Amino acid sequence: MLTLPNILTMSRIAMIPLLAALLWWPGWHAGYLAAFALYCVMGITDYFDGMLARQSGRVSKLGIFLDPIADKIMVVSVILVLAAMGVLNGPYAGDVHVIAGMIIVIREIAVSGLREFLGGLQVSVPVSKLAKWKTTFQLISLGSLILGEGLPGWTIFADGIAHNVPHIVGLFTLWGAAVLTVITGWDYLRVGLKHMD
């Protein structure tokens, strides 16, 4: 039987193609603002599906399976579309910011595989506080990058170059997320290596 938390999680997955479609047109500022609003709704449903499941005591196997998948699909989809549209580009460093996105995508795939491997051995890997910070940085970063495309006028000038404030915040937090991604990914790998012989 489907519960409200599971319905919220599945609705989040269903919204991902629409989010990707809205992000496909970098010059369409209204589309990016709509994408930002949708991204925020998806983040709110992510918060509430977990909270409702815990409060009602209805933490289901389906929810445990779907929730992390929904998060990973959303993050990876947004990073891939933003990279393809040239949004992961900044002053001075150019396209180097794509590397930070690539690090995050690789980690998401690797940790998913590791969790699947450890699940077969009935070993659970709890989410650390640092991993929660990584997720927070990711969400802020991607939201800021989307918002920056929707609000091109939010700029400051430094060295004679216009810097879009949300975009710069997005790039800095993307690198912060990438650093935390490496640290938390290594933590997960260390746990996994203990069970590989």
Side-chain angles (χ1 to χ4, degrees):
M1 185 173 122
L2 284 178
T3 62
L4 179 58
N6 290 343
I7 291 169
L8 288 174
T9 301
M10 287 190 287
S11 72
R12 199 159 77 251
I13 294 170
M15 286 187 267
I16 292 169
L18 176 58
L19 178 63
L22 289 169
L23 296 174
W24 203 257
W25 312 102
W28 185 32
H29 306 307
Y32 267 76
L33 289 176
F36 178 74
L38 183 60
Y39 181 81
C40 290
V41 167
M42 293 168 79
I44 291 166
T45 61
D46 184 26
Y47 173 78
F48 278 108
D49 63 10
M51 185 188 75
L52 289 171
R54 286 186 297 274
Q55 284 182 350
S56 65
R58 291 183 165 185
V59 178
S60 67
K61 289 180 181 178
L62 180 63
I64 292 169
F65 168 71
L66 283 180
D67 188 59
I69 288 176
D71 296 342
K72 285 173 176 36
I73 294 172
M74 182 181 80
V75 166
V76 170
S77 297
V78 171
I79 288 172
L80 290 176
V81 176
L82 293 181
M85 296 300 105
V87 177
L88 299 186
N89 192 313
Y92 312 115
D95 289 334
V96 166
H97 305 290
V98 171
I99 294 171
M102 185 176 67
I103 290 168
I104 293 168
V105 171
I106 290 170
R107 186 263 191 196
E108 296 297 2
I109 294 168
V111 168
S112 293
L114 184 60
R115 282 185 179 276
E116 185 176 336
F117 168 75
L118 293 174
L121 299 175
Q122 297 184 340
V123 176
S124 67
V125 183
V127 177
S128 67
K129 286 186 180 178
L130 202 57
K132 290 180 180 178
W133 275 107
K134 181 268 305 178
T135 301
T136 302
F137 268 68
Q138 271 181 194
L139 294 176
I140 291 170
S141 169
L142 300 179
S144 297
L145 290 167
I146 293 168
L147 186 62
E149 291 296 304
L151 299 171
W154 284 21
T155 57
I156 57 171
F157 286 87
D159 299 327
I161 300 172
H163 300 276
N164 180 273
V165 175
H167 187 80
I168 295 298
V169 169
L171 292 177
F172 272 106
T173 50
L174 185 70
W175 280 103
V179 169
L180 292 176
T181 285
V182 171
I183 295 168
T184 57
W186 173 247
D187 287 343
Y188 285 127
L189 184 59
R190 278 190 308 168
V191 172
L193 288 173
K194 291 176 184 176
H195 300 278
M196 296 178 193
D197 46 15

